C-alpha cells in the first residue's frame, strides 16, 4: 500500500451545465508528495482540485464523468459518505476564513462536528494540529482569544490547523498564500515541506515560482486539459512540450 | 509591446556576440602577429584584452539581474546560465591570444625558426573551431557543437606534431652554446604558443557543450558522443 498511489483520476470530464470545464484528465497522485497544479486562469486547475473532495457537488448544474479513486476507492460511488470523504480530503482556501470564535474553537470545530466531546481529546488534538501548522508557539498563551485578532498569515495557518485537526490523509490547497505577504508566504511554504511527511498535498497556485519551490510533481493545465505532468525540476528546466515551455517562460498568446 | 524581459535577454545575447567577435579578432590578430612577426599587431592584442574583460563583467551583470529579478524558467534559464559559461570560455580564449602575443614579442627579438607546417594547420583548425563554436551558438545548432569534439582531436594531433618538430630541433641544433640556448628559448616559446592554441581549441569545444545544454537541455560534458549523429 505504501507505494500505491494515493489518488488517481481516470478520463475525468467535468461540466458546468453544457460547458465542459475538464476534458479527459488522467493523473496519478503519489502519497506523501506535493503536487502543484498550474495554468492560466480558467484552465480548470481549481475545478479539478474541487473534484477531489467533491466540493463541486455543491454547485448546481455540474456533472462528472470518469472516475477518481482515493486509496483505490471510487469517491463518486453512490455508497460514499461525502462528509467522511471531506474529512479524509481536507481543504484550505485562498483567503483565510476563520470563524468568529476563539482560536481553540476554530480548530476544535471539525472535531465537534465529527462527534468528539471528550475535553482531553479535544485539547490534545487542537494542540497537535496547531503544532503541525507551526502556530502553537505564537498562540499557546491566547488560545481562548478571538481568531480574528490574528494576522493574515496566522489566520491561514489556523485554517490549516483546522483542516489538520480531523486528521485527513490529503490536503487540498487552493492558492493558500496568494493573499499573504512574502514572510507569511514563506512560512506557509516551509510548512508545506514539513506537512508532506504525513500528508499528501495538492496545491493550486498562480505563482510558478511557488510551484517550483514547494512541489515534487507539477501538472500543467490549459483549457480544461492536462497538458504535461512531471517531476517539478524537470518541468521547470526542460519541459517536454512547447506549450508548457511557452507558458512557464511567459510567452503565451 | 515587447516584454522587458525579452529585451534584456536580447541585450545579453548581443553583449555575448560582441565579446565573441572581439575574441575571434584577438585570436586572428595574435596568430597573424606570430606568423608575420608583427610586433605592433601583437601589442594591439595585449592592449585590446581589457575590452573583452569588460564585456565579461557586463554579461555577468545582465545575467545576475535577470536571475534575480525575472526568475527565468526552462530554456530562458538554460540560456542565461549557458551564456555566463560561454562568456567565461571566451574570456579565457582571449587570454590565450594575449599569451600568444607576448611569446610573439619575444620571438620577434630573435631570428625566425624554420617554418613549421603543423603550426599553420593548428592555427587554421583552432580558428575554424572558434568560428564553429560561435556559429553553433548563433544558429543554436547542436550538431556543430558536437562536431567541435572531432576538430579538437585534430588540433591535439597538430599540437603534438609541433612539439615533436621543436624537440627534434632543440636536440639536433648547433653545438655552439650561445646559439643553442637561443634556439631552445625560441623553441620553448613556440611550443607555448602551440599549447595556447590547443587550449583555445579546448575552450571552443566547451562552448559547444554549453550550446548543447542551452538548445537541447542535454549535458554532453565529460561524455563520449556518437559522432555518427552528425
Amino acid at each position: 500500500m505504501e507505494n500505491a498511489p494515493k489518488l488517481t483520476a481516470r478520463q475525468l470530464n467535468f461540466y458546468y451545465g453544457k460547458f465542459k470545464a475538464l476534458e479527459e484528465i488522467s493523473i496519478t497522485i503519489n502519497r506523501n508528495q506535493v503536487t502543484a497544479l498550474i495554468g492560466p486562469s480558467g484552465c480548470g486547475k481549481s475545478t479539478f482540485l474541487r473534484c477531489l473532495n467533491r466540493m463541486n457537488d455543491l454547485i448546481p448544474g455540474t456533472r462528472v464523468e470518469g472516475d477518481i479513486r482515493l486509496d483505490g476507492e471510487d469517491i463518486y460511488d453512490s455508497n460514499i459518505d461525502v462528509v467522511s470523504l471531506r474529512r479524509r480530503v481536507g481543504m484550505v482556501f485562498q483567503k483565510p476564513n476563520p470563524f468568529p470564535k476563539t482560536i481553540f474553537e476554530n480548530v476544535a470545530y471539525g472535531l465537534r462536528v465529527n462527534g468528539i466531546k471528550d475535553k482531553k481529546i479535544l485539547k490534545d488534538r487542537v494542540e497537535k494540529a496547531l503544532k503541525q501548522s507551526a502556530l502553537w508557539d505564537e498562540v499557546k498563551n491566547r488560545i481562548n482569544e478571538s481568531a480574528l485578532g490574528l494576522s493574515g498569515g496566522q489566520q491561514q495557518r489556523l485554517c490549516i490547523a483546522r483542516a489538520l485537526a480531523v486528521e485527513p490523509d490529503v490536503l487540498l490547497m487552493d492558492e493558500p498564500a496568494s493573499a499573504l505577504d512574502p514572510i507569511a508566504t514563506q512560512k506557509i511554504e516551509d510548512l508545506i515541506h514539513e506537512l508532506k511527511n504525513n500528508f499528501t498535498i495538492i496545491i493550486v497556485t498562480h505563482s510558478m515560482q511557488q510551484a517550483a519551490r514547494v512541489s515534487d510533481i507539477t501538472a500543467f493545465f490549459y483549457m480544461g486539459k492536462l497538458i504535461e505532468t512531471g517531476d517539478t525540476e524537470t518541468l521547470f528546466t526542460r519541459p517536454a512540450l512547447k506549450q508548457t515551455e511557452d507558458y512557464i517562460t511567459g510567452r503565451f498568446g | 509591446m515587447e516584454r522587458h524581459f525579452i529585451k534584456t535577454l536580447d541585450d545579453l545575447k548581443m553583449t555575448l556576440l560582441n565579446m565573441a567577435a572581439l575574441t575571434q579578432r584577438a585570436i586572428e590578430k595574435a596568430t597573424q602577429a606570430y606568423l608575420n612577426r608583427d610586433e605592433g599587431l601583437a601589442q594591439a592584442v595585449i592592449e585590446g584584452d581589457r575590452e573583452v574583460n569588460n564585456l565579461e563583467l557586463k554579461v555577468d551583470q545582465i545575467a545576475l539581474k535577470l536571475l534575480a529579478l525575472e526568475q527565468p524558467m526552462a530554456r530562458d534559464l538554460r540560456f542565461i546560465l549557458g551564456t555566463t559559461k560561454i562568456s567565461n570560455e571566451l574570456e579565457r580564449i582571449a587570454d590565450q591570444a594575449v599569451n600568444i602575443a607576448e611569446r610573439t614579442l619575444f620571438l620577434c627579438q630573435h631570428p625566425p625558426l624554420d617554418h613549421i607546417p603543423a603550426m599553420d594547420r593548428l592555427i587554421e583548425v583552432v580558428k575554424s573551431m572558434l568560428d564553429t563554436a560561435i556559429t553553433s551558438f548563433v544558429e543554436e545548432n547542436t550538431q556543430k557543437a558536437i562536431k567541435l569534439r572531432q576538430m579538437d582531436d585534430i588540433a591535439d594531433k597538430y599540437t603534438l606534431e609541433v612539439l615533436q618538430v621543436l624537440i627534434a630541433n632543440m636536440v639536433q641544433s648547433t653545438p655552439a652554446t650561445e646559439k643553442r640556448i637561443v634556439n631552445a628559448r625560441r623553441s620553448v616559446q613556440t611550443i607555448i604558443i602551440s599549447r595556447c592554441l590547443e587550449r583555445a581549441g579546448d575552450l571552443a569545444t566547451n562552448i559547444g557543450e554549453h550550446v548543447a545544454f542551452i538548445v537541447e537541455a542535454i549535458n554532453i560534458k565529460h561524455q563520449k558522443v556518437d559522432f555518427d549523429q552528425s
Side-chain angles (χ1 to χ4, degrees), chain A residues 208-209 212 236-239 245 248-251, chain B residues 3 5-6 9 71 73-78 217:
Chain A
M208 279 182 288
Q209 281 71 35
F236 284 110
T237 53
R238 42 182 196 284
E245 172 112 27
I248 63 175
T249 58
R251 289 178 176 82
Chain B
R3 278 179 62 208
F5 173 62
I6 305 292
L9 267 188
Q71 290 96 38
M73 295 283 192
R75 193 193 177 99
D76 296 335
L77 179 61
R78 299 199 305 271

Side-chain angles (χ1 to χ4, degrees), chain A residues 186-242:
Chain A
Q186 195 189 330
K187 281 188 181 164
I188 298 283
E189 290 179 2
D190 288 342
L191 183 58
I192 292 171
H193 280 291
E194 283 294 314
L195 291 174
K196 77 171 174 184
N197 295 319
N198 298 313
F199 305 93
T200 300
I201 297 173
I202 303 148
I203 176 171
V204 161
T205 174
H206 266 129
S207 160
M208 279 182 288
Q209 281 71 35
Q210 182 168 69
R213 286 193 297 264
V214 303
S215 71
D216 302 297
I217 303 291
T218 298
F220 168 54
F221 282 72
Y222 183 58
M223 292 178 78
K225 290 182 181 161
L226 176 58
I227 306 295
E228 183 172 348
T229 312
D231 165 69
T232 295
E233 187 182 330
T234 307
L235 194 122
F236 284 110
T237 53
R238 42 182 196 284
L241 300 176
K242 188 174 181 301

Side-chain angles (χ1 to χ4, degrees), chain A residues 74-129:
Chain A
D74 183 357
I75 67 165
Y76 282 91
D77 189 279
S78 53
N79 294 326
I80 285 282
D81 170 17
V82 178
V83 174
S84 158
L85 170 71
R86 290 185 193 141
R87 189 196 63 70
R88 289 170 69 194
V89 185
M91 192 156 191
V92 176
F93 300 88
Q94 184 175 1
K95 280 190 183 158
N97 53 350
F99 305 134
K101 293 171 180 284
T102 65
I103 293 167
F104 183 90
E105 285 304 326
N106 262 276
V107 184
Y109 186 84
L111 299 169
R112 290 194 200 279
V113 168
N114 278 280
I116 297 173
K117 291 186 179 125
D118 185 305
K119 282 190 177 169
K120 173 82 171 66
I121 294 175
L122 283 172
K123 188 170 167 289
D124 288 350
R125 295 275 289 271
V126 168
E127 181 174 332
K128 185 181 170 196

Side-chain angles (χ1 to χ4, degrees), chain B residues 20-31:
Chain B
L22 286 180
T23 305
Q24 209 171 2
R25 207 177 307 155
I27 286 286
E28 175 66 39
K29 280 184 183 170
T31 50

Side-chain angles (χ1 to χ4, degrees), chain B residues 164-178:
Chain B
Q164 285 165 341
V165 167
L166 289 167
I167 287 173
N169 177 44
M170 285 190 276
V171 171
Q172 291 160 7
S173 71
T174 166
T177 315
E178 187 57 31

